[in-house]
Amino acid sequence: MKLSRRGVIQAAAALGAVQVLGCASSPKAGPGPATGDDKGEAPGKPLNILILGGTRFLGPALVQAAQARGHTLTLFNRGKSNPGLFPEVEKLQGDRDPNKGEGLKALAGRKWDAVIDTSGYVPRIVKASAELLAPNVGQYVFISSVSVYKEMTKKDLNESDAVGTLPDETVEEVGETSYGPLKALCEKAAEAALPGRTLNIRPGLIVGPDDGSDRFTYWPLRVAKGGEVLAPGDGEDPVQVIDARDLAAFIIRNVERRTAGIFNVTGPLKPMNMKGMLEDIQKATGSDARFTWVDTAFLDQQKVTAFADMPAWVPRTGPESGIGAVSIARATQAGLATRPLGDTVRDTLTWFHGLPPDRQEKLRSGLSADREKEVLAAWHQAKGTAKAG
């Protein structure tokens, strides 16, 4: 089964202030601590940090993590997404594209200790901000993706593995085949502008409160509902997720340390498979859900796609099988810590149930209830036919 990257691309929009395919998130801050890897380490001296974006999903988590450790924030964005969020924080308006409107003019001549780029998807755009800021910032942090890797079937992908490429590097359309290579080119652009001062973060599937894509939220909601739940594969496929608040804490800690280099950042720290994830969700929700595991070949026949129809799931034998089992050894050594999945599940449900009713009725990932029943009925019928034969 081929992994549908639709969910990956839609989810990317929720990381910053730009919108790729219309995915929006709530302006409400997620519950729970914003610093998942404090480990008792005291903050360093207060820093002035610029965030390009900052008002959607990972952005607010970064603001909260930085504020909790005494840092001063400035947000640069178009002022269109959640403009009332963080009234105490300085906000500068402009456009990431220097050819649109006032472009990056609001950043000219200003100095910051570090900049965190949550909203870069096109290398030309990242190059413009990185080159402009290079003389006046100490560090450039670029939020990339584990989707950059070329050989996605490889297990334990690490930061030295080859990244994907494009035949035409001037392409700027973010699509299923270009998303990863474009992110890799963005990393390259940032490093070229600030050699030795760039921190490239490659997250896995980012989850938790404020996730406007529902690419993980589907499972806590579905499991909490109870009854027979369609579960993909045989339960042994590896899966990795990272709570946005833990990702933000890792980033802010390494801004304080002036860390440079490339890090895969996902979780949990110990390997997890799909069965383990769903059982942890069941435990956290106290649900009576019954999991019916439906094999990959049958789901393929039913046109049920990995990651989009079955969020977070990637078959371990497919062409993108490595995306659920990347190495996080470097990040762990650099202080990565992840909260228990149950905490993320409960906080995600609390956030989601606080959204407007019309939003709650329209999940943006996963199977509809009717479609799930249809596939389960077909699966049971196929099993019955096989036994009768």
Side-chain angles (χ1 to χ4, degrees), residues 15-18 51-56 59 75-77 96 116 118-119:
L15 296 180
V18 297
I51 298 180
L52 303 180
T55 59
R56 298 172 64 173
L75 307 184
F76 173 83
N77 51 58
R96 293 296 308 270
I116 305 175
T118 71
S119 55

Side-chain angles (χ1 to χ4, degrees), residues 288-356:
D288 65 354
R290 307 181 310 279
F291 301 117
T292 296
W293 296 94
V294 178
D295 69 45
T296 302
F298 186 84
L299 291 177
D300 203 15
Q301 293 171 8
Q302 293 290 315
K303 301 188 184 308
V304 175
T305 59
F307 217 84
D309 294 327
M310 292 277 96
W313 174 61
V314 182
R316 64 186 180 278
T317 57
E320 285 89 13
S321 56
I323 203 170
V326 303
S327 171
I328 56 172
R330 286 198 70 195
T332 301
Q333 292 171 1
L336 176 65
T338 58
R339 69 195 66 206
L341 185 65
D343 291 353
T344 299
V345 169
R346 287 184 286 269
D347 289 348
T348 299
L349 289 173
T350 298
W351 161 76
F352 188 83
H353 290 312
L355 296 177

Side-chain angles (χ1 to χ4, degrees), residues 108-129:
R110 293 287 303 271
K111 294 181 181 292
W112 289 275
D113 294 301
V115 53
I116 305 175
D117 186 345
T118 71
S119 55
Y121 304 94
V122 176
R124 175 180 63 85
I125 302 300
V126 173
K127 180 176 185 289
S129 60

Side-chain angles (χ1 to χ4, degrees), residues 40-119:
E41 182 178 335
K45 70 173 184 177
L47 302 175
N48 291 316
I49 301 172
L50 169 67
I51 298 180
L52 303 180
T55 59
R56 298 172 64 173
F57 197 20
L58 179 58
L62 285 164
V63 172
Q64 292 165 349
Q67 288 179 326
R69 296 180 67 79
H71 304 306
T72 300
L73 280 298
T74 299
L75 307 184
F76 173 83
N77 51 58
R78 296 176 299 175
K80 295 182 178 181
S81 299
N82 305 325
L85 198 61
F86 304 121
E88 76 283 6
V89 172
E90 179 187 27
K91 298 181 178 71
L92 302 176
Q93 286 194 15
D95 199 292
R96 293 296 308 270
D97 191 333
N99 299 323
K100 292 183 178 180
E102 293 297 306
L104 301 168
K105 291 180 181 179
L107 303 178
R110 293 287 303 271
K111 294 181 181 292
W112 289 275
D113 294 301
V115 53
I116 305 175
D117 186 345
T118 71
S119 55

Side-chain angles (χ1 to χ4, degrees), residues 243-257:
D243 190 300
R245 297 165 294 179
D246 296 335
L247 175 59
F250 176 82
I251 292 168
I252 297 302
R253 181 62 53 75
N254 283 284
V255 167
E256 293 173 355
R257 296 169 179 163

Side-chain angles (χ1 to χ4, degrees), residues 1-3 5 8 145-158 161-165 176-177 179-181 202-204 238 240 264 307 314-327:
M1 176 181 285
K2 181 174 177 56
L3 168 64
R5 296 270 178 102
V8 178
S145 168
V146 293
S147 293
V148 298
Y149 291 108
K150 181 179 181 180
E151 300 296 336
M152 294 304 298
T153 58
K154 182 180 177 181
K155 300 299 186 293
D156 295 320
L157 283 162
N158 64 64
D161 284 310
V163 297
T165 58
E176 288 195 6
T177 59
Y179 173 71
R202 295 174 177 173
Q240 291 178 310
N264 294 333
F307 217 84
V314 182
R316 64 186 180 278
T317 57
E320 285 89 13
S321 56
I323 203 170
V326 303
S327 171

